[in-house]
Amino acid sequence: MSPRQRPISDKHLVTEQAGMRVLVIGLAISFFLGYTLKSALSPARVAAQIEKAASHIHKDIKVSFATAEVSLADGILPRFAVVITKAQMESAQACWMAPLLEIDEIRLPISILGAITGRSVVKTIEADNVSLTLRGNMKDCDKEKELA
């Protein structure tokens, strides 16, 4: 060995570095976080929360929908939103002319900044193909309340 050459240490070899350990730990953490997020945002849980919120609208209004899910993107752009499909709100209340509201898709964009700061999470409601049908006749219910 000449005096100009340094001995090569095993710790500088590529095969002895901790890259594989870091990769495996990173994959394990990402799988854990991914499945936790997936179970927390499952369509069944989201639908249950929407049904619970819809039950507090009014006692005379019946709300139903086909599906409710959390959308994390709109095309290639990230956009967090709750998407409700085939929503229907109806009431048999004669004073309201027995309305029936049908909406193909409702999007409730979620504000991440609003969630962090404690403000309103939903600021706008977007709806596609909305139909409002008044199934009853006009009736003056104020006179009936005065007589009662």
Side-chain angles (χ1 to χ4, degrees):
M1 185 192 263
S2 70
R4 293 186 179 218
Q5 288 183 337
R6 291 186 293 177
I8 297 174
S9 166
D10 285 345
K11 71 178 184 176
H12 297 295
L13 295 175
V14 173
T15 58
E16 299 298 326
Q17 293 180 2
M20 184 60 100
R21 186 178 318 135
V22 171
L23 177 70
V24 170
I25 290 172
L27 284 174
I29 290 172
S30 65
F31 278 124
F32 174 74
L33 290 176
Y35 281 112
T36 302
L37 186 64
K38 183 179 177 180
S39 67
L41 300 178
S42 71
R45 283 184 185 226
V46 173
Q49 290 291 327
I50 298 294
E51 285 176 0
K52 182 179 177 184
S55 69
H56 297 295
I57 293 174
H58 194 276
K59 63 182 177 80
D60 293 335
I61 297 175
K62 180 184 168 206
V63 179
S64 61
F65 54 90
T67 61
E69 59 190 16
V70 175
S71 172
L72 302 178
D74 185 17
I76 61 170
L77 300 174
R79 184 176 184 202
F80 300 106
V82 175
V83 179
I84 303 167
T85 57
K86 304 291 183 203
Q88 193 175 46
M89 297 175 73
E90 65 180 316
S91 175
Q93 187 68 255
C95 295
W96 299 344
M97 298 171 57
L100 172 65
L101 178 68
E102 296 174 312
I103 306 170
D104 280 346
E105 182 179 274
I106 302 172
R107 294 185 69 85
L108 306 170
I110 299 171
S111 169
I112 301 299
L113 184 62
I116 293 171
T117 60
R119 295 185 180 160
S120 177
V121 178
V122 177
K123 295 185 181 194
T124 59
I125 299 173
E126 301 168 0
D128 291 335
N129 199 10
V130 179
S131 170
L132 175 63
T133 307
L134 301 174
R135 300 173 293 179
N137 294 326
M138 185 81 157
K139 187 175 180 184
D140 192 7
C141 293
D142 291 334
K143 290 181 182 177
E144 290 179 10
K145 288 181 182 178
E146 290 174 3
L147 294 175

